[in-house]
Amino acid sequence: MPTVGVNRDKLFEKLGRVYTDEEFDQLCFEYGIELDDVTSEKEMLRKELASAVAKGGDAAAEAAAASEEVIYKIDIPANRYDMLCVEGIARALNIFRGTQASPEYRMADMAGRAPLQMVVKAETALVRPFVVCAVLRGVKFDAARYNSFIDLQDKLHQNLCRQRTLVAIGTHDLATIKGPFTYEALPPEDIKFVPLKQTREFNAKELMQYYLDNDQKLKKFVPIIHGSVVYPVIYDANRTVLSLPPIINGAHSAISLDTRDVFIECTATDLTKAKVVLNTVVTMFAEYAEQPFVVEPVEVVDAFGNKAVYPDLSYRSLTLTTDYVNSLLGLQLPGPDIAQLLNKMQLRAELGADGKQLSVRVPPTRSDILHACDVAEDVAIAHGYNNIPRRIPPTCTQGRELPLNQVTEMLRAEVAMAGFTEVLTWALVSHAENFDNLRRQDDGATAVEIGNPATAEFEVCRTSLLSSALKTLAANKDNALPIKLFEVSDAIMLDSSRSVGARNERRLVAVYCAKESGFEVVHGLLNRVMEVLGVPHKDEPGAASSPVTYHWSPSSDPAMFPGRQAAVFAGEAQVGVFGIVHPEVLTAFEVPYPVSALEINLEPFVFNQMYESLLEPLSS
Amino acid sequence: MADLEASLLQALNAQECIADSGEFAKSAGVDHMVLVGTIRSLQASEMIVAEDIDHFRYALTEESQGYLTAGSPEAQVFNAVTPGEGITLAELKAKVPGEAGDVGFKQAMQQRWLALDKAAGEPRVVRKVDSIEDRTQALLADVAAGREIPKAEADNLAKKRKLIKPEQWKTYKLTKGAKFALERKKPATDLTFDMLAKGTWRTQEFKDYNFNAFGVLPSGGHLHPLLKVRTQFRKIFTQMGFEEMPTNQYVELSFWNFDALFQPQQHPARDAHDTFFLNKPAATASDRGVPADYLQRVQSVHEVGGYGSAGYGYSWKLAESEKNLLRTHTTAVSSRMLYRLANQPGGFKPAKYFSIDRVFRNEQVDRTHLAEFHQVEGLICDRGLTLGDLIGVLNQFFSRLGLKKLRFKPAYNPYTEPSMEIFSYSEQLNKWMEVGNSGMFRPEMLRPMGLPEDVNVIAWGLSLERPTMILYGIDNIRDLFGHKVSLSMVRKNPICRLGL
């Protein structure tokens, strides 16, 4: 969720009244934004300073000189791009409170004037195919407006533009450049210009290297075009470089506080998002244009000569019925009330002759409205979520636990009653913990492997619970002996018979750690677990009449001590192992005392009284 | 020891009184300190009464012990001086060395037994009297023999010359106590089988029990607190008529985790920063994971919309939807279950589902974040459900958790609309706290599955860890879940009363 910092007093000025923090918080809550923090530039710098003491004197002086004006940090829902600046927040809240009518965004009357042109060259398709543009005339900037203009572009770049990969915005002082403009893609060496914040000319190739070496902020964008044989570039009629998207603008056309006419271009790999970004920038800042909320169009001529005019400020229309809204929300609002509520959310709604048909005009600022349900939500917000009468859903169904989980619940209690203490460990482990430390070979067909772990702690999904139990013992060495632990949880195995290529397996692991191995203790636990599961040993009297029996026989699991281990079988299938943990395994996990362990798969024992298996795999 | 105690008790029985325990010890041939142990123990049992007798005497110091035979320092010095011609100071020092020489010379001079003759060059020590009586030695001998000596002389020897030291000690006058008996009965600490068998419990005295101590803790096993809370949540759900979903499958297809939920492919949650993608098994071919017609409907609703939606207007990539991952939410399972519900034999039937299971996020672990945690999810799928139903069922559910005062905030979630964050008022903290998320699944998610148009799904979710941390006063999630958790935390937590 993006957070926008706005100057509180400037915001209140726009809202036409002063709020206490509590009152403003309440207003935010109703609208669905959140007052996250109340701070100031000074406070923010101070915090930065505290986290980077090394910076020393300069930063301290900077902090002392910083403004004490209160800043509201406001969390904005991720789909409300029109609220990423103070202009948009104030506009939305004013309309919500009924203190301002929704503005009518429109294109400038171009009668008798040809629009500026942007001509797209075919080569741009190789790297960044789309561009859309617009002009704001007669904008009056001051320091606050100018900063907000820059901040909005930053916020859009971070969110909707996905770090400039999808869309990048360039803004220019139109007085310094001359149309028609061209959007081209050229070999990097052929693009030469003085970039913003630099005083000398670079070619694009050396500029990328310069940013990689020297610029923390810009270097992360370089890879977007670095591998391409041609770089995107925008020229004016005099071959002045406007920008090298998505990296940097030219110094020549930089906007300043004195700029009156602003040329805005958005280059993109996703045309839909480019249009939304352009609309967001122009609808927000057209507020300061000579004719408020009027935008001058730019004609974009694509490589095939097709012409399109941007921005597209058309109002989409959406029709729905009052019945739909009421039945979705559980309300019985009359049509006129619904229309009025929608007005508060910037949606103009007209009620049809039947009093039920609603025709809603969605302004270009509300790209988040995709479906009638989005309109219904706005009715709910304007009505107040907390004013909606509650109802208990009439749906009558039978409660039921998943049999696998129900058996798990019962068995956990039994094992705890047997004197073992339950632990809860992670399914993600390092590769070494799952294999080398347990002296088990990775045959490459056992464990689910993570492609992009943030830390080396999480490389694979565990194929056995034993490593986790041993890690827990190692972390609790100082406990009085003996330590008896268990966990009932899932191991994860590659399994090509499943559609997703892997399956979970519900297992029980138990460990006994003391001065002596306690082999007979885990052996006894196995016998007890089978007793409570109602599974007899195969040689027990009467076992012949049981559909399921179990037994054990000496085994050779490398994780266990030779001669002191046995495999556990349900019928003829091996379901687990118990034994003294191999001393080298103990060393690898840094457990100083002998340990005996039992690990079994519980899934063969998830059956009902008729011995019918109750496993219900999610994907077959 | 037992003998000493028995003979003391017998003596006391015979004589009614032992005038001085010191004498008794002497006659019994034991050290008085040994007898004192017996006296104290009998006294504690109220078998005897002991009255203090204070004693005082002087004793020789280590230094003066030697003077008993060698004579006092002054006498030694006097004897060292040759009658008549005397000796030099140096010769005297050699004959009576050390402290005894210095002190003896000073005392002998004071007593005027000796004089210093400086007439002929080097001074010589000469006798002034012919003979002396060694009074100091005699006094020391008296002290050593336990005889009293005159107070003035005792003071002088004790305080000025530090040749004797005062000694104080106690002995006792012993008489019979309230519980006098010739033999002591030891109080028992516990009731035993033997006492029951012999019936001696009737007369047996029992030692007072120390009620200030704690008892011995039972040695049984313990259940983990997070899973105790999970058990209670399971009960609340099943009591409310919810059926548990089979969530025992951590590896999931991007399609079910994201695409089916109308989560666009460029959504930040689908970044490698947030999601664990897999090398093995890296992908699931769509023909194994998803029915072709459904896949087609999902692609189209993303790209161009449909079912009344404008769609996202981007080019949807099949390969992106085929990537495997560790599910980021259990809603991936909900989407499979809803698809199943829409396409089951016999057609759609209303359902209430719940799950509590692990989900995975590719995040750095810190105080409040783990790479895996438990998500609690509930959903109801039925015809004609409303936002009012969601608010109603949330009030029902959270009141079972003891959270009776709720309010709802508009929120954004890609697959629900309307969406509501759930806040609960904490009387303890005096503020509203976010306790969960909820909403109605979007038509773009439900309609492509084939659910009838009048079917809505209301759903909510929360983490299991957060309420558990609040309930058990744990402020670091790593102290709750993972191998580094302290076992004593697991052993000491109380039952979970949620849902009572």
Side-chain angles (χ1 to χ4, degrees):
Chain A
M1 195 185 293
T3 303
V4 180
V6 302
N7 181 306
R8 181 194 63 182
D9 295 342
K10 286 270 183 312
L11 177 64
F12 288 172
E13 204 178 288
K14 284 179 180 291
L15 292 176
R17 66 159 278 196
V18 170
Y19 288 84
T20 65
D21 292 348
E22 288 72 29
E23 287 168 342
F24 189 70
D25 183 54
Q26 179 60 32
L27 177 62
C28 287
F29 192 94
E30 286 167 20
Y31 195 77
I33 57 179
E34 193 171 329
L35 179 56
D36 181 54
D37 197 11
V38 181
T39 178
S40 71
E41 225 170 86
K42 196 166 195 164
E43 185 69 32
M44 277 151 56
L45 275 170
R46 209 176 294 143
K47 277 184 191 162
E48 249 173 61
L49 190 61
S51 63
V53 183
K55 278 185 174 176
D58 281 1
E62 205 179 304
S67 164
E68 304 226 32
E69 284 181 41
V70 177
I71 290 176
Y72 274 175
K73 294 232 159 190
I74 302 174
D75 283 347
I76 304 295
N79 63 342
R80 287 300 298 267
Y81 313 112
D82 62 316
M83 294 182 74
L84 293 175
C85 58
V86 67
E87 288 75 13
I89 293 171
R91 200 178 298 165
L93 292 179
N94 274 328
I95 296 166
F96 182 61
R97 295 179 313 146
T99 53
Q100 180 187 330
S102 293
E104 186 72 19
Y105 307 102
R106 55 191 179 85
M107 302 277 243
D109 180 6
M110 298 301 286
R113 283 192 293 155
L116 281 167
Q117 260 194 353
M118 172 69 78
V119 180
V120 181
K121 297 287 168 67
E123 297 76 29
T124 55
L126 294 170
V127 52
R128 199 171 179 84
F130 305 111
V131 64
V132 293
C133 314
V135 171
L136 291 176
R137 292 278 179 188
V139 175
K140 288 189 200 74
F141 280 121
D142 58 24
R145 291 172 180 185
Y146 180 87
N147 289 337
S148 176
F149 191 55
I150 303 298
D151 286 350
L152 173 63
Q153 294 172 49
D154 265 356
K155 283 278 180 291
L156 286 168
H157 277 151
Q158 284 163 29
N159 295 289
L160 183 56
C161 306
R162 304 305 318 280
Q163 304 295 348
R164 306 191 190 182
T165 54
L166 300 182
V167 188
I169 312 160
T171 56
H172 309 274
D173 188 336
L174 188 55
T176 65
I177 46 179
K178 185 171 175 291
F181 306 100
T182 53
Y183 179 41
E184 310 179 16
L186 299 172
E189 294 84 352
D190 298 351
I191 304 169
K192 298 191 183 94
F193 69 112
V194 181
L196 208 57
K197 292 186 179 149
Q198 298 295 335
T199 49
R200 73 169 177 95
E201 190 178 85
F202 287 78
N203 77 42
K205 188 179 174 186
E206 57 173 328
L207 186 62
M208 291 306 102
Q209 197 53 48
Y210 176 82
Y211 287 147
L212 284 175
D213 295 340
N214 301 298
D215 198 307
Q216 286 305 316
K217 183 173 175 245
L218 292 178
K219 80 183 217 192
K220 61 176 192 264
F221 304 119
V222 170
I224 302 173
I225 56 167
H226 207 206
S228 172
V229 290
V230 287
Y231 285 4
V233 59
I234 297 176
Y235 287 103
D236 82 344
N238 299 322
R239 299 302 286 171
T240 305
V241 170
L242 270 65
S243 64
L244 178 73
I247 314 295
I248 191 80
N249 290 346
H252 177 84
S253 56
I255 64 162
S256 69
L257 286 179
D258 301 324
T259 299
R260 298 297 310 276
D261 297 336
V262 185
F263 181 74
I264 302 152
E265 38 90 359
C266 299
T267 56
T269 53
D270 179 323
L271 183 60
T272 309
K273 292 207 165 47
K275 290 195 234 174
V276 172
V277 169
L278 182 67
N279 280 355
T280 305
V281 174
V282 298
T283 53
M284 289 303 107
F285 283 86
E287 179 173 325
Y288 303 130
E290 196 157 33
Q291 289 176 278
F293 305 113
V294 174
V295 183
E296 184 177 308
V298 173
E299 189 174 66
V300 176
V301 186
D302 73 16
F304 305 104
N306 299 321
K307 293 176 179 175
V309 170
Y310 294 104
D312 177 4
L313 293 182
S314 60
Y315 283 58
R316 282 180 295 140
S317 90
L318 228 156
T319 51
L320 61 158
T321 64
T322 55
D323 287 348
Y324 172 80
V325 172
N326 281 324
S327 70
L328 194 72
L329 303 182
L331 291 170
Q332 280 100 40
L333 297 174
D337 291 15
I338 291 179
Q340 209 172 1
L341 290 172
L342 285 173
N343 269 336
K344 293 172 70 175
M345 305 303 289
Q346 311 175 23
L347 303 175
R348 294 231 176 109
E350 272 178 39
L351 203 55
D354 63 351
K356 284 182 181 289
Q357 193 82 11
L358 277 167
S359 171
V360 179
R361 285 182 78 224
V362 182
T365 44
R366 293 298 308 276
S367 59
D368 59 299
I369 305 269
L370 300 177
H371 187 276
C373 68
D374 298 296
V375 177
E377 182 186 67
D378 274 9
V379 174
I381 294 171
H383 179 74
Y385 273 9
N386 297 293
N387 299 323
I388 292 173
R390 66 180 76 163
R391 182 179 83 156
I392 301 307
T395 313
C396 184
T397 51
Q398 192 176 193
R400 181 174 175 263
E401 290 178 78
L402 192 72
L404 172 69
N405 290 351
Q406 213 171 354
V407 169
T408 297
E409 289 283 283
M410 292 189 282
L411 199 66
R412 285 175 52 233
E414 291 287 352
V415 178
M417 281 189 260
F420 287 74
T421 291
E422 186 172 39
V423 296
L424 178 67
T425 59
W426 301 335
L428 302 182
V429 296
S430 75
H431 186 274
E433 284 164 352
N434 200 60
F435 293 107
D436 289 355
N437 289 9
L438 288 175
R439 304 176 80 244
R440 286 175 180 161
Q441 289 284 316
D442 180 6
D443 62 3
T446 309
V448 170
E449 264 178 41
I450 292 164
N452 58 328
T455 78
E457 256 186 302
F458 311 130
E459 291 171 325
V460 297
C461 293
R462 60 180 172 192
T463 56
S464 136
L465 309 187
L466 181 58
S467 60
S468 313
L470 292 172
K471 278 157 73 179
T472 309
L473 283 176
N476 284 280
K477 287 190 226 273
D478 51 347
N479 271 248
L481 298 175
I483 306 173
K484 300 195 264 183
L485 305 179
F486 83 98
E487 180 169 11
V488 181
S489 192
D490 289 353
I492 303 90
M493 340 295 265
L494 288 175
D495 183 345
S496 56
S497 75
R498 295 293 176 97
S499 66
V500 294
R503 72 183 152 81
N504 285 25
E505 187 174 288
R506 185 67 44 89
R507 292 187 173 199
L508 161 70
V509 69
V511 289
Y512 178 92
C513 173
K515 290 266 173 69
E516 302 85 29
S517 77
F519 183 47
E520 69 288 354
V521 178
V522 297
H523 189 178
L525 180 67
L526 168 70
N527 302 146
R528 173 63 186 156
V529 163
M530 289 301 159
E531 194 168 75
V532 301
L533 288 172
V535 176
H537 186 272
K538 73 174 167 62
D539 298 332
E540 246 173 71
S545 65
S546 171
V548 193
T549 62
Y550 85 108
H551 67 279
W552 60 91
S553 67
S555 62
S556 55
D557 186 326
M560 301 291 180
F561 200 49
R564 288 287 183 284
Q565 56 168 304
V568 183
F569 295 85
E572 294 310 312
Q574 184 176 341
V575 295
V577 65
F578 67 96
I580 299 177
V581 176
H582 197 286
E584 285 175 13
V585 173
L586 295 178
T587 307
F589 283 99
E590 296 177 10
V591 178
Y593 302 105
V595 174
S596 288
L598 161 71
E599 180 163 358
I600 49 169
N601 175 7
L602 296 175
E603 299 194 359
F605 308 104
V606 179
F607 46 73
N608 63 13
Q609 298 170 72
M610 318 309 187
Y611 295 93
E612 293 161 342
S613 172
L614 297 176
L615 294 175
E616 304 167 12
L618 185 61
S619 70
S620 49
Chain B
M1 285 309 270
D3 290 351
L4 182 63
E5 184 177 297
S7 62
L8 178 70
L9 290 171
Q10 274 159 22
L12 197 55
N13 194 37
Q15 302 160 27
E16 289 296 317
C17 171
I18 290 170
D20 190 329
S21 60
E23 301 299 325
F24 182 84
K26 223 179 272 176
S27 65
V30 298
D31 191 277
H32 187 251
M33 288 314 289
V34 175
L35 183 63
V36 169
T38 308
I39 291 171
R40 292 256 179 273
S41 154
L42 289 169
Q43 204 178 7
S45 313
E46 294 176 59
M47 291 174 70
I48 62 171
V49 175
E51 277 174 67
D52 292 0
I53 306 170
D54 291 320
H55 295 270
F56 177 86
R57 69 173 178 208
Y58 284 109
L60 298 188
T61 65
E62 213 174 306
E63 181 194 351
S64 59
Q65 206 82 39
Y67 304 152
L68 268 181
T69 48
S72 69
E74 55 269 34
Q76 289 180 40
V77 167
F78 180 84
N79 291 334
V81 174
T82 322
E85 65 197 28
I87 59 175
T88 67
L89 275 171
E91 284 165 344
L92 179 59
K93 264 219 161 69
K95 283 183 119 176
V96 189
E99 180 113 5
D102 292 346
V103 174
F105 178 69
K106 248 182 243 160
Q107 286 291 328
M109 290 294 283
Q110 256 175 36
Q111 310 252 12
R112 300 185 187 285
W113 291 351
L114 298 176
L116 209 51
D117 181 8
K118 298 178 183 167
E122 194 185 359
R124 296 186 73 85
V125 181
V126 295
R127 290 191 180 182
K128 267 186 98 176
V129 293
D130 292 338
S131 66
I132 54 157
E133 181 206 341
D134 192 351
R135 175 68 181 156
T136 302
Q137 187 190 30
L139 287 171
L140 289 176
D142 285 348
V143 168
R147 290 187 291 271
E148 250 182 71
I149 59 172
K151 187 171 178 345
E153 284 176 306
D155 280 354
N156 179 46
L157 284 182
K159 288 175 190 157
K160 282 200 181 144
R161 299 198 59 182
K162 306 220 180 334
L163 291 175
I164 59 174
K165 59 188 178 198
E167 266 185 7
Q168 282 175 314
W169 76 100
K170 277 187 165 72
T171 56
Y172 303 96
K173 177 185 172 187
L174 305 175
T175 50
K176 289 181 177 173
K179 295 186 179 167
F180 182 83
L182 278 176
E183 206 179 323
R184 178 168 19 194
K185 278 189 194 157
K186 268 224 172 118
T189 53
D190 208 353
L191 182 68
T192 63
F193 167 73
D194 207 40
M195 293 173 194
L196 296 181
K198 293 182 181 154
T200 53
W201 61 271
R202 292 177 193 281
T203 53
Q204 178 66 48
E205 252 186 86
F206 288 90
K207 197 174 173 195
D208 284 346
Y209 188 77
N210 178 8
F211 282 100
N212 294 320
F214 281 88
V216 178
L217 282 176
S219 63
H222 309 78
L223 292 175
H224 192 283
L226 188 78
L227 301 182
K228 288 184 187 178
V229 177
R230 184 179 72 178
T231 299
Q232 294 309 106
F233 269 99
R234 296 168 61 79
K235 286 189 179 155
I236 293 168
F237 273 117
T238 47
Q239 287 161 2
M240 288 174 71
F242 285 71
E243 177 178 344
E244 191 171 24
M245 294 186 276
T247 48
N248 54 321
Q249 182 191 294
Y250 298 160
V251 174
E252 190 49 278
L253 193 53
S254 284
F255 179 86
W256 291 109
N257 195 79
F258 291 128
D259 298 286
L261 297 171
F262 197 50
Q263 202 143 336
Q265 295 188 330
Q266 310 91 340
H267 192 275
R270 303 184 71 156
D271 264 6
H273 303 295
D274 292 293
T275 300
F276 286 114
F277 289 98
L278 305 179
N279 278 347
K280 237 190 313 184
T284 299
S286 61
D287 59 355
R288 289 198 72 189
V290 189
D293 57 333
Y294 175 46
L295 186 85
Q296 217 293 313
R297 292 195 294 272
V298 169
Q299 169 169 7
S300 132
V301 80
H302 276 247
E303 289 186 332
V304 298
Y307 315 98
S309 174
Y312 289 123
Y314 73 101
S315 169
W316 186 88
K317 307 244 174 359
L318 179 65
E320 194 63 38
S321 79
E322 291 181 334
K323 285 185 185 169
N324 278 334
L325 42 76
L326 295 180
R327 67 170 176 227
T328 62
H329 48 189
T330 51
T331 318
V333 178
S334 310
S335 65
R336 282 181 181 270
M337 294 302 285
L338 289 171
Y339 179 82
R340 204 182 270 186
L341 204 57
N343 296 280
Q344 66 192 352
F348 169 79
K349 275 187 213 71
K352 299 202 284 196
Y353 289 132
F354 84 97
S355 66
I356 309 170
D357 211 334
R358 296 185 194 212
V359 296
F360 301 83
R361 303 282 166 88
N362 196 3
E363 284 183 309
Q364 290 291 341
V365 170
D366 64 27
R367 293 185 75 79
T368 52
H369 296 89
L370 289 180
E372 52 190 287
F373 61 95
H374 291 76
Q375 183 185 339
V376 179
E377 185 173 352
L379 67 87
I380 306 178
C381 179
D382 199 356
R383 298 179 190 272
L385 291 174
T386 69
L387 191 62
D389 289 313
L390 177 57
I391 293 173
V393 77
L394 288 175
N395 273 291
Q396 248 186 354
F397 178 80
F398 281 94
S399 77
R400 292 296 307 276
L401 305 180
L403 307 176
K404 296 190 195 294
K405 199 169 161 188
L406 298 186
R407 66 174 190 171
F408 304 96
K409 174 175 166 281
Y412 169 66
N413 182 344
Y415 50 88
T416 56
E417 191 83 5
S419 310
M420 309 194 299
E421 277 172 12
I422 308 158
F423 282 73
S424 159
Y425 190 75
S426 161
E427 302 288 348
Q428 286 90 8
L429 301 173
N430 212 17
K431 66 171 184 183
W432 290 93
M433 307 213 311
E434 197 198 327
V435 292
N437 255 299
S438 66
M440 303 179 74
F441 284 154
R442 292 191 70 99
E444 293 95 327
M445 169 181 170
L446 301 182
R447 299 291 94 83
M449 291 176 168
L451 283 167
E453 207 171 331
D454 60 343
V455 168
N456 288 328
V457 177
I458 55 180
W460 72 99
L462 59 152
S463 93
L464 185 63
E465 280 76 3
R466 214 172 111 76
T468 305
M469 287 166 75
I470 295 169
L471 277 173
Y472 289 99
I474 296 168
D475 64 355
N476 185 341
I477 195 165
R478 290 169 296 192
D479 293 337
L480 180 66
F481 185 6
H483 59 277
K484 287 189 179 146
V485 166
S486 144
L487 294 178
S488 77
M489 185 282 293
V490 180
R491 291 192 189 105
K492 288 188 172 163
N493 63 81
I495 56 171
C496 173
R497 294 169 195 271
L498 285 185
L500 291 184

